[in-house]
């Protein structure tokens, strides 16, 4: 008689972390599978990257996009802030800086979903009223023991009442986004679908208008009262592809977020010269600059 298979004989089981801990509504957009503390303010986070994704895997399924690394590192910081630093789930995180550099050779899609590990170190941890008020963390993304990316992130954390004051009464239910203008040709910005194009023409090749489609299932995974940072970084990605159409692809993002970008006012994306293969991208709304990003490019 065959004995029942014991749990110890079973293969390792994998599940994503609770989606609420990474501020995602869709389980399909939750990339993290676990974490552990490795020391004082030091952690390791487990990840699984899908072999196909509408935005973050190349149309030919051969390469992971560096913005998948950005989203993964963002989720890791959010997870640890909630799970290890006891930030309540109703608190909001405000990005201030996000710097990431990737290793192109380590972003190839293989025959199985990639399962990198991220090592994170939190520094400059600040508290207010017994709660985490902000921090900086560095992250190293390792794939099969080899570095695939490094990142440095700074953020603040605010409670519901402070957030309401910051937003001046704006909420997903009270703010209506402007009509979405026609987008650029998808091929011009290395996109397969017109719905994934986030830039519109203006008549000036160095200035584009941001297309904010609140129905987009990835950028607006859940209702928001402002333009999300990942949409701004995608705008920087597409702007860099316009400036570097000669085989250079984005591999690094050094971004500064100065204030919220509002849904109900036009947003302009200016493409400026950088150093060498870098492209400087600036987001403005009204008279204010709210976003700056230096995009590093290289031959894939």
């Amino acid at each position: 008689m065959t004995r029942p298979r014991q749990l110890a004989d079973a293969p390792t089981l994998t599940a994503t972390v609770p989606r609420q801990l990474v501020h995602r509504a869709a389980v399909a957009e939750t990339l993290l599978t676990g974490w552990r503390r490795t020391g004082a303010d030091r952690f390791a986070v487990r990840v699984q990257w899908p072999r196909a994704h509408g935005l973050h895997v190349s149309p030919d399924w051969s390469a992971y996009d560096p913005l998948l690394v950005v989203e993964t590192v963002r989720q890791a910081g959010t997870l640890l802030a909630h799970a290890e630093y006891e930030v309540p789930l109703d608190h909001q995180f405000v990005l201030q800086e996000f710097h990431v550099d990737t290793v192109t050779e380590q972003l190839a899609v293989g025959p199985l979903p990639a399962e990198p590990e991220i090592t994170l170190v939190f520094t400059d941890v600040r508290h207010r009223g017994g709660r985490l008020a902000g921090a900086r963390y560095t992250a190293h993304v390792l794939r099969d023991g080899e570095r695939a990316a490094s990142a440095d992130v700074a953020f603040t954390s605010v409670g519901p009442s402070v957030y309401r004051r910051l937003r001046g009464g704006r909420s997903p239910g009270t703010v209506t986004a402007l009509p979405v203008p026609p987008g650029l040709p998808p091929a011009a910005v290395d996109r397969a679908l017109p719905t994934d194009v986030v830039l519109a023409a203006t008549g000036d090749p160095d200035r584009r208008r941001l297309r904010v489609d609140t129905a987009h299932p990835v950028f607006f995974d859940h209702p928001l009262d402002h333009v999300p940072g990942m949409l701004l970084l995608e705008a920087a990605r597409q702007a860099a592809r316009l400036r570097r159409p000669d085989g250079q692809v984005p591999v690094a993002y050094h971004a500064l977020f100065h204030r919220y970008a509002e849904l109900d006012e036009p947003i302009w994306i200016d493409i400026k010269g950088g150093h060498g293969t870098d492209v400087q991208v600036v987001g403005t709304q009204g008279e204010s600059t709210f976003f700056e990003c230096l995009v590093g490019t290289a031959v894939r």
Side-chain angles (χ1 to χ4, degrees):
M1 182 172 125
T2 303
R3 67 181 177 87
R5 188 173 187 178
Q6 301 298 311
L7 185 60
D9 299 329
T12 301
L13 303 180
T14 299
T16 60
V17 303
R19 57 189 172 82
Q20 293 87 348
L21 293 178
V22 298
H23 292 195
R24 278 300 191 181
V27 173
E29 295 297 327
T30 302
L31 303 170
L32 311 184
T33 59
W35 77 97
R36 68 185 187 278
R37 180 182 287 269
T38 59
D41 298 311
R42 294 175 177 269
F43 309 92
V45 175
R46 298 189 304 277
V47 179
Q48 187 181 84
W49 286 340
R51 296 173 64 207
H53 188 278
L55 278 177
H56 299 320
V57 175
S58 62
D60 64 358
W61 301 338
S62 67
Y64 294 112
D65 192 282
L67 286 185
L68 180 64
V69 176
V70 172
E71 173 61 14
T72 304
V73 171
R74 180 204 69 78
Q75 288 191 17
T78 302
L79 165 74
L80 295 173
H82 287 309
E84 294 289 341
Y85 292 95
E86 300 181 348
V87 174
L89 288 175
D90 62 356
H91 282 218
Q92 299 288 333
F93 297 108
V94 183
L95 269 180
Q96 298 172 314
E97 302 177 40
F98 207 122
H99 308 291
V100 64
D101 296 270
T102 64
V103 180
T104 303
E105 295 78 10
Q106 294 297 325
L107 297 183
V109 175
L112 293 172
E115 296 194 338
E117 182 171 271
I118 311 177
T119 61
L120 297 98
V121 179
F122 274 65
T123 60
D124 191 24
V125 178
R126 305 180 303 281
H127 292 84
R128 183 182 303 113
R131 299 283 191 194
L132 181 75
R136 179 180 291 274
Y137 62 90
T138 57
H140 296 286
V141 181
L142 303 176
R143 188 176 179 190
D144 298 324
E146 299 291 331
R147 186 180 73 88
S150 297
D152 184 75
V153 184
F155 69 94
T156 59
S157 172
V158 298
S161 61
V162 173
Y163 186 76
R164 284 193 294 270
R165 289 198 298 273
L166 284 175
R167 300 301 292 135
R170 288 176 177 267
S171 70
T174 62
V175 177
T176 301
L178 296 176
V180 182
L184 299 174
V189 292
D190 192 31
R191 280 300 176 206
L193 300 176
T195 49
D196 291 334
V197 176
V198 303
L199 299 179
T202 65
D204 181 349
D206 292 330
R207 165 166 278 205
R208 309 290 174 165
R209 183 172 168 186
L210 184 68
R211 303 178 73 238
V212 182
D213 182 1
T214 57
H216 196 285
V218 177
F219 296 128
F220 289 88
D221 165 78
H222 55 279
L224 295 169
D225 59 20
H226 61 276
V227 178
M230 287 301 295
L231 175 53
L232 300 177
L233 288 167
E234 176 63 27
R237 174 196 175 278
Q238 294 187 16
R241 289 311 305 263
L242 290 173
R243 180 57 65 90
R244 299 279 185 263
D246 52 357
Q248 301 278 341
V249 298
V251 296
Y253 297 87
H254 292 193
L256 300 174
F257 300 86
H258 300 301
R259 68 172 182 83
Y260 289 104
E262 306 299 350
L263 298 173
D264 54 359
E265 300 175 29
I267 295 172
W268 310 103
I269 301 296
D270 293 312
I271 311 170
K272 303 179 181 292
H275 299 291
T277 58
D278 294 343
V279 178
Q280 180 73 27
V281 179
V282 177
T284 60
Q285 192 168 52
E287 301 299 320
S288 299
T289 295
F290 64 85
F291 170 71
E292 299 175 82
C293 186
L294 186 67
V295 184
T297 68
V299 176
R300 177 180 292 168

